[in-house]
Every structure is written in structure tokens, then in C-alpha cells.
Amino acid sequence: PHVGNIAGAGLLVGIELVRDKNSKTPFDRKEQVTEKLTSLAFKAGLTLWPNVGHADGKSGDLLMFAPPLICQREHCELLVELLAKALSGLWPDL
């Protein structure tokens, strides 16, 4: 419910996180959504590239994946599982 957009080229993928999916309203920077998710993902074994400020120069949360180019299907599935674990750590009711 908090994914505003997913964009990518090849295996480089960015996921925009928003407070409201329909209006694309970003989270308040005070909530540090990107920082919290990046930390939870790292603890789960997944390194993400965090980005902030893309919505208006200050607000906007974006997580980027950049797996190895030799990634096999099972590796990609593991990435998704680890991201799901991090997301459930921030939003347990998902």
C-alpha cells in the first residue's frame, strides 16, 4: 500500500515509498522511512541504496536495488523475501 512507483532498467530497480498510494503523497522526512527500511533490510541481509528528497527536494523516499548482473532467479527471489521482511519490520500489518 505504500509503493508509489517502481521503475528500473535491467536489474537496477527503484521503489518509491509514499504515505498515500493514490495521491502519491510522500512521507514526512521526520519519519525517516528510507533510513529505517534500509537499516531493517541490512539487518535481514539485504543492502539497499537509499535516496531521499526526490519528490520536492526535501521529501520523498526511494529504495534502489542493484544486484549483481549475474543474479539468478533464486537470488532475485531471495531479494524479494528479504525486502518483504524489512517492510514487515516497519509495517507489521502488511
Side-chain angles (χ1 to χ4, degrees):
H2 296 294
V3 174
N5 188 35
I6 298 175
L11 291 176
L12 181 63
V13 178
I15 302 171
E16 176 190 24
L17 300 170
V18 294
R19 173 170 300 290
D20 181 84
K21 186 174 185 167
N22 294 323
S23 68
K24 306 281 198 245
T25 303
F27 288 99
D28 189 303
R29 280 303 310 138
K30 292 177 188 173
E31 295 181 62
Q32 297 189 324
V33 171
T34 296
E35 294 87 345
K36 289 176 183 174
L37 274 174
T38 301
S39 178
L40 289 167
F42 189 76
K43 289 175 185 173
L46 176 64
T47 302
L48 298 172
W49 177 10
N51 289 274
V52 297
H54 66 277
D56 61 10
K58 182 179 176 186
S59 298
D61 294 280
L62 182 75
L63 301 171
M64 296 196 58
F65 286 92
L69 297 176
I70 57 170
C71 195
Q72 296 181 6
R73 183 177 184 89
E74 56 267 16
H75 300 133
C76 293
E77 290 171 354
L78 178 60
L79 293 173
V80 172
E81 288 175 26
L82 294 174
L83 178 59
K85 184 176 181 178
L87 290 167
S88 68
L90 188 58
W91 296 302
D93 56 332
L94 292 181

